[in-house]
Amino acid sequence: MHVTSMDLSMEALPARQSSTVSIGRIKPELYKQRSVDSQDGEPRPPPEPCGKLSFSLLYDYEEQGLVVRLLKALDLPAKDFSGTSDPYVKIYLLPDRKTKFQTRVHRKNLNPMFDETFRFAVPYDELCARQLHFSVYDFDRFTSHDTIGEVVVDNLFELSDLSREAVVWKDIHAATTDSVDLGEIMFSLCYLPTAGRMTLTVIKCRNLKAMDITGSSDPYVKVSLICDGRRLKKRKTTTKRSTLNPVYNEAIIFDIPPENVEQVSLSITVMDYDRVGHNEVIGVCYTGPDAQGLGRDHWTEMLAYPRKPITHWHSLGEWPGRAASFESQGSCPSPKPPLTP
């Protein structure tokens, strides 16, 4: 997909006052989230449990696998307006995220009986370095699924020697933003200074959050060129059906003059297409001079090595709840036209 961008010749744009007009600085607060861990320098008390989870563990020496039987949950919080929830659980044996299991969705039930068994293929001598992770979600057909909480077992042998089935009860704790598993996206950035052209190639995603009741998603990627908190241009990839590991290899091109390359950022949002309801946000990441962490480093590396595609995996984060800012109408004043190659 070859997309040209920065078409700002709209009647709504203000007339230029001079040959050089800045398109503004990006507001860093759009890309930062306030810490929920402290207020006025004082640590907050630990959150109350979000119910309890019961499961059993057993190691199958013949098949060389850890058998996890998810039994039930009790006293889950209500996430729906009806005063109930539609819970399901995803299970990982970290650090491996490629292998994951998901239970069925239990409709309108705060005390679901799962009684489902899963098997992780893992050598016995590797169990001491593994972490068992349960993520409890509330399924919602028309909006993003809510995270109820998580259970993390750091040391499996603290619970049992695993030679016989051991039933365990654990408190479900509210998940932190970093621990919510939304998946990752790989994309490359390449900038041609002489042409004033930036190419973002969406390569693939992996381990995306399942948004459909079938345990899958229909993902596509939306890329927005952002200036001063407003979207200048938006382009998207094709939709890949029923997959949590889509491969795209699709290029999106933005015309950005060199004098403006430090004044824009890119928002990369992975969406789940829904034929009936609204399309849902799976996760988002940012890249640009005012982004955080890898998002900023990726941008800096792109500028340091012009004409060379720079590729990185990016973890998807929660949608920050500022859709109104990004989706607002209007644009910044027009930048200078792109240089002629």
Side-chain angles (χ1 to χ4, degrees):
M1 180 173 63
H2 181 84
V3 182
T4 58
S5 197
M6 292 289 287
D7 180 14
L8 302 175
S9 58
M10 297 183 294
E11 290 81 356
L13 292 178
R16 296 185 194 174
Q17 300 299 320
S18 64
S19 59
T20 303
V21 180
S22 170
I23 63 174
R25 296 293 298 175
I26 298 170
K27 296 179 180 179
E29 58 267 24
L30 293 177
Y31 305 96
K32 298 178 181 178
Q33 296 185 0
R34 291 184 178 182
S35 172
V36 297
D37 297 326
S38 62
Q39 185 175 6
D40 300 328
E42 294 295 329
R44 292 186 178 182
E48 292 294 324
C50 307
K52 290 181 176 292
L53 192 69
S54 176
F55 57 93
S56 69
L57 302 176
L58 173 68
Y59 190 78
D60 187 336
Y61 293 93
E62 292 185 2
E63 299 293 334
Q64 291 285 293
L66 178 67
V67 179
V68 180
R69 184 184 176 200
L70 188 57
L71 300 174
K72 57 185 175 181
L74 290 179
D75 303 325
L76 296 179
K79 292 291 187 176
D80 301 336
F81 290 115
S82 60
T84 185
S85 293
D86 302 317
Y88 68 94
V89 181
K90 290 200 299 186
I91 308 172
Y92 295 88
L93 190 61
L94 301 177
D96 177 21
R97 287 187 175 272
K98 291 184 179 180
T99 303
K100 65 180 175 183
F101 297 103
Q102 180 174 313
T103 69
R104 297 185 300 273
V105 176
H106 290 252
R107 297 290 188 179
K108 301 184 184 302
N109 197 331
L110 299 181
N111 299 283
M113 298 288 294
F114 295 104
D115 196 18
E116 296 185 48
T117 302
F118 309 97
R119 184 187 302 271
F120 292 93
V122 54
Y124 184 83
D125 57 3
E126 291 185 10
L127 287 176
C128 58
R130 296 299 192 98
Q131 182 186 80
L132 189 61
H133 190 284
F134 300 89
S135 295
V136 187
Y137 293 93
D138 170 50
F139 175 84
D140 196 313
R141 180 173 179 80
F142 299 106
T143 62
S144 297
H145 300 188
D146 293 322
T147 302
I148 294 176
E150 65 181 359
V151 172
V152 179
V153 181
D154 292 313
N155 187 345
L156 294 169
F157 293 106
E158 284 186 357
L159 306 178
S160 165
D161 63 3
L162 306 180
S163 61
R164 57 183 177 179
E165 187 175 22
V167 177
V168 180
W169 282 94
K170 285 284 189 179
D171 287 335
I172 301 172
H173 293 285
T176 63
T177 300
D178 292 338
S179 67
V180 175
D181 177 65
L182 301 175
E184 297 175 283
I185 182 171
M186 175 191 284
F187 61 85
S188 70
L189 295 174
C190 181
Y191 187 63
L192 303 178
T194 54
R197 181 177 302 140
M198 177 181 297
T199 301
L200 184 150
T201 301
V202 180
I203 301 173
K204 58 184 175 180
C205 300
R206 65 185 179 191
N207 301 328
L208 294 180
K209 176 182 177 181
M211 304 297 286
D212 301 334
I213 195 170
T214 59
S216 188
S217 294
D218 300 315
Y220 67 91
V221 181
K222 181 174 69 174
V223 182
S224 299
L225 182 67
I226 305 297
C227 160
D228 195 27
R230 296 185 178 184
R231 186 184 67 206
L232 300 183
K233 276 293 177 181
K234 176 185 70 175
R235 293 293 183 264
K236 63 181 181 180
T237 67
T238 56
T239 300
K240 305 299 181 181
R241 300 289 183 178
S242 301
T243 178
L244 301 180
N245 299 281
V247 177
Y248 297 99
N249 290 321
E250 299 180 33
I252 295 175
I253 299 175
F254 295 101
D255 292 328
I256 305 175
E259 59 269 25
N260 296 133
V261 75
E262 291 288 349
Q263 299 174 321
V264 295
S265 285
L266 297 176
S267 165
I268 301 97
T269 308
V270 182
M271 306 285 297
D272 173 52
Y273 173 80
D274 196 321
R275 184 179 299 177
V276 179
H278 298 290
N279 296 346
E280 303 174 68
V281 175
I282 297 177
V284 63
C285 65
Y286 304 96
T287 183
D290 293 316
Q292 301 296 307
L294 180 59
R296 180 183 60 246
D297 296 341
H298 196 168
W299 188 273
T300 302
E301 190 177 356
M302 171 196 71
L303 296 179
Y305 298 95
R307 296 173 292 277
K308 178 182 178 181
I310 306 297
T311 305
H312 286 292
W313 280 103
H314 291 254
S315 296
L316 296 174
E318 293 279 7
W319 185 243
R322 297 188 176 93
S325 299
F326 285 175
E327 301 297 330
S328 60
Q329 299 298 319
S331 301
C332 297
S334 175
K336 292 175 67 176
L339 301 175
T340 303

